[in-house]
Amino acid sequence: MRIDVVTIFPQMFKAVEDCGMSRVAIERGHLELGLWDPRDYAEDNYRRIDDRPYGGGPGMVMQAPQLSRALRAAKLEADGKVVYLSPQGQTLTQEKVRELAGGPALVLLTGRYEGIDQRVLDAEVDEEISIGDYVVAGGELPAMVLIEAMVRCLPGVLGNNESIDAESFSNGLLDWPHYTRPEEFEGRSVPSELLGGNHDKIRRWRLKQALGQTWLRRPDLLKDKYLSDEEVSLLREFKIQTSEQGQESSQ
Ligand code: 9D3
């Protein structure tokens, strides 16, 4: 897919281009990244893109003409949905990530300061997305969060093992705990269930841990989730074991 980002900090996206899974996705042609700097569309020698808010008050607002010229240039290259990263947006979910990653192109609009002149948003933006209820200084890191999440969803980017995993199991549950060598570390050993090579035993231990950790830490995720007979009985075992451990440590 092609992603174009309108940003006054295109350098920040070096992280996407140079690191990790997104870099590999670009190298292999799964992802094409375009960057558009509104300052390149300013008309004064200072390349100014912000001004004081009408009505007064603190901070600055990004100006419509420069922003919309940059955005229209991006749209000529990639005719995708325009998403504005903003604290006023709908909170990003994995479902939304999958939906947006399904298209051939996307234009991400990022703001700084107090925000962008509303007239650009009214005329050009299809969707507004937030990454959660906390405040960061601008839309760039949120855009990178969205890009990284989408890249994982692109066909051919994850190895087969990982993607099968992601489809079938972690579906609505937290991960199980992971261990690797050495077998003992500072007096802590690896759960014996993982050592024997009994694959059904391993599968049941992991499923039990995933169900149990979800029950402990994120009971909200289990509220509307259908559990198979096996899952119900594994979770029941986990709860019993957990309460026995509590008994032991208080003796
Ligand atoms: C006083 C009102 N503030 C809005 C909550 C001002 C304000 C804070 C932060 C205006 C812009 C910003 C910059 N943030 C983003 O652009 C942003 C963001 C975020 O702060 N949190 C979660 N998701 C996102 S997406 C874009």
Side-chain angles (χ1 to χ4, degrees), residues 93-104:
T93 61
Q94 188 62 30
E95 185 187 2
K96 177 57 73 177
V97 168
R98 259 184 255 122
E99 179 195 317
L100 295 173

Side-chain angles (χ1 to χ4, degrees), residues 84-89 110-115 129-140 142-143:
Y84 174 40
L85 283 305
S86 127
Q88 283 75 45
T110 66
R112 285 268 148 177
Y113 319 117
E114 292 309 300
I129 290 177
S130 157
I131 59 164
D133 292 339
Y134 45 85
V135 180
V136 297
E140 283 79 8

Side-chain angles (χ1 to χ4, degrees), residues 148-168:
E148 188 161 291
M150 287 192 296
V151 165
R152 295 183 69 261
C153 297
L154 296 179
V157 166
L158 281 183
N160 260 346
N161 293 333
E162 289 169 280
S163 38
I164 288 166
D165 236 57
E167 290 307 334
S168 65

Side-chain angles (χ1 to χ4, degrees), residues 112-147:
R112 285 268 148 177
Y113 319 117
E114 292 309 300
I116 295 176
D117 190 303
Q118 185 62 35
R119 292 166 293 184
V120 179
L121 308 179
D122 292 341
E124 308 279 1
V125 169
D126 299 306
E127 204 162 328
E128 235 171 287
I129 290 177
S130 157
I131 59 164
D133 292 339
Y134 45 85
V135 180
V136 297
E140 283 79 8
L141 287 171
M144 287 192 262
V145 166
L146 174 57
I147 291 169

